[in-house]
Amino acid sequence: MDYDTLIIGAGAAGMMCAAHAGGRVLVVDHARAPGEKIRISGGGRCNFTNMHCDANAFISENPHFAKSALARYTQWDFIALVEKHDIAWHEKTLGQLFCDVSAKEIVAMLRTLMQDAGVDLHLQTEVSHFEKSPDGFKATLTRDGRTQQITARNAVIATGGKSIPKMGASGFAYDIARQFGHPITELAPALVPFTFPEGRFAAISGVACPARIAADGPAFDEALLFTHRGLSGPAVLQASSYWTDGQAITVNLCPQTDLSSILKDKRRSDGKKALTTELAHHLPTRLVEHLNSEFDLSGRLGDLPDARIDALTAALSQWRLTPGGTEGYRTAEVTRGGIDTATLDSKTMQSKIAPGLFFIGEAVDVTGWLGGYNFQWAWSSAMAAARSLMADL
């Protein structure tokens, strides 16, 4: 037996698992460097977890599945690990935690942990064949033009989902899962911008404002950004995880403002003012100009009856838009759906079909909100598998 554990995938989940699994561990990845998604995340600062992380911030066909792993290795555990390695961090909005200096510090921390644990790391290595063997698992690896067969008692699949294929993302984890009889739930790009036909918002590309946006799920109060291709910004990315093709989304452009009362008050005190002039105090001017083509914003405040004000403010708070699609896996931060959790042990992430085989991270049907939740799932699911592997030594 060459190794106790073979881990395929040197991303966040794979490296975290390798660092804590114990025994003889080999990590393989086809990339030139480990942790590339970590490196580019958060604008190069890595939004590595969220202070408010709990199972309610995750989407899955089984909403209870993630609870065990998240409870047994929490955001506070990862924060303690970061602080132990002297990585300075700060909180942005909504509990999002970022490195003060660079995401590379998280990658370096994980590499150090792996080195201290004696983990072997083989980069630019392809897995061309993977199968069950009498004593565990057997894999055929190709590296520098040389082919090698290795065996391991246990195997962990940590190759992520299909998002950002230019970084090497693929459906490898799903192929392995199907090979061993694991169903795959419906896959879709998530945390991804919406697109609209015919450059609908091209004239106001770059305009941003606070908004409340919902698809078929909770409403999110964050920034909305209009782009040449459609809609982006944190509120849009969040809603996209709950969107299905052909479905309308609801946009509230004044989520924190009682615009109806404001317009009625201004009607009494400044009735000669144009409606568009007053709206420009509450929304970006270019957006107001665009909305004039969507809704009738003509006239002066003093000429507006209550019914028209109420109808207008209702339209601005319940603006229904139907995206033509999304920008797809090319820009999606994560993949929604994945390996059916009904076939995995929630405490260990081990397959119920093939003992010794584990699936962790984004490949599993657990998708977090924007803001560090998906990294926390990577850490938590990795530790669930690692503790099981350690106990099995």
Side-chain angles (χ1 to χ4, degrees):
M1 190 65 60
D2 295 313
Y3 292 95
D4 293 302
T5 302
L6 166 66
I7 299 178
I8 305 176
M15 288 196 289
M16 187 70 171
C17 184
H20 297 90
R24 297 161 297 162
V25 177
L26 170 64
V27 179
V28 301
D29 198 296
H30 63 342
R32 291 178 176 272
E36 282 294 271
K37 264 194 170 182
I38 300 174
R39 182 183 62 80
I40 68 166
S41 67
R45 296 270 179 102
C46 187
N47 180 192
F48 57 81
T49 193
N50 194 292
M51 295 182 75
H52 307 308
C53 192
D54 64 40
N56 293 324
F58 293 85
I59 305 163
S60 173
E61 288 196 359
N62 178 1
H64 302 291
F65 180 83
K67 290 180 178 178
S68 176
L70 292 169
R72 292 167 63 231
Y73 190 85
T74 69
Q75 61 269 40
W76 311 112
D77 293 316
F78 193 76
I79 291 168
L81 181 64
V82 165
E83 291 180 339
K84 182 180 177 181
H85 286 260
D86 297 321
I87 298 174
W89 57 271
H90 60 279
E91 178 185 357
K92 284 192 176 180
T93 57
L94 304 174
Q96 301 170 16
L97 304 190
F98 291 78
C99 299
D100 281 358
V101 179
S102 172
K104 294 178 182 178
E105 293 178 290
I106 300 294
V107 178
M109 177 189 76
L110 294 170
R111 293 202 70 166
T112 296
L113 289 169
M114 289 168 59
Q115 289 165 5
D116 291 348
V119 173
D120 290 339
L121 174 62
H122 290 181
L123 298 171
Q124 295 181 275
T125 301
E126 300 287 341
V127 179
S128 58
H129 189 73
F130 179 82
E131 63 180 13
K132 194 85 174 68
S133 68
D135 298 316
F137 298 88
K138 182 167 60 177
T140 302
L141 310 180
T142 302
R143 184 186 186 200
D144 295 330
R146 294 191 295 269
T147 298
Q148 172 190 15
Q149 278 203 343
I150 67 104
T151 56
R153 282 199 305 130
N154 303 291
V156 180
I157 309 301
T159 53
K162 299 173 71 174
S163 58
I164 317 185
K166 70 178 181 181
M167 297 192 67
S170 70
F172 180 87
Y174 312 130
D175 294 339
I176 296 298
R178 292 188 186 98
Q179 177 183 331
F180 286 88
H182 290 266
I184 308 300
T185 66
E186 183 177 358
L187 303 174
L191 300 181
V192 63
F194 289 126
T195 58
F196 286 79
E198 300 173 357
R200 180 170 180 180
F201 302 112
I204 53 172
S205 177
V207 171
C209 65
R212 177 177 298 149
I213 301 180
D216 186 20
F220 294 93
D221 283 36
E222 292 190 65
L224 161 64
L225 173 67
F226 295 90
T227 73
H228 283 284
R229 292 173 58 82
L231 300 179
S232 189
V236 167
L237 300 187
Q238 295 279 41
S240 74
S241 293
Y242 294 88
W243 182 79
T244 55
D245 191 33
Q247 180 185 64
I249 63 171
T250 302
V251 178
N252 183 345
L253 292 171
C254 300
Q256 305 299 330
T257 304
D258 185 354
L259 191 58
S260 178
S261 295
I262 291 172
L263 293 179
K264 289 173 183 177
D265 288 343
K266 287 290 183 179
R267 180 180 58 186
R268 289 189 292 269
S269 63
D270 200 359
K272 293 183 179 180
K273 181 184 287 188
L275 170 61
T276 52
T277 302
E278 179 58 30
L279 288 175
H281 290 299
H282 308 282
L283 295 168
T285 301
R286 287 173 60 200
L287 175 57
V288 173
E289 293 170 354
H290 175 82
L291 292 173
N292 210 2
S293 65
E294 298 272 349
F295 311 105
D296 179 12
L297 304 182
S298 62
R300 299 180 302 179
L301 292 174
D303 299 328
L304 303 181
D306 282 358
R308 186 176 170 202
I309 290 177
D310 290 341
L312 172 63
T313 54
L316 294 177
S317 63
Q318 300 173 40
W319 189 16
R320 288 180 62 80
L321 297 165
T322 302
T326 73
E327 292 191 2
Y329 292 113
R330 180 180 64 85
T331 60
E333 295 196 18
V334 291
T335 303
R336 186 184 70 206
I339 297 160
D340 194 333
T341 59
T343 59
L344 302 177
D345 186 315
S346 64
K347 292 183 179 179
T348 65
M349 307 305 296
Q350 184 170 195
S351 167
K352 294 178 180 178
I353 299 170
L357 180 62
F358 298 74
F359 295 92
I360 60 176
E362 186 185 344
V364 178
D365 176 28
V366 175
T367 305
W369 288 354
L370 184 73
Y373 295 95
N374 288 292
F375 272 127
Q376 185 58 47
W377 171 245
W379 317 135
S380 297
S381 61
M383 287 300 295
R387 287 167 171 165
S388 176
L389 292 163
M390 176 68 83
D392 190 45
L393 290 175

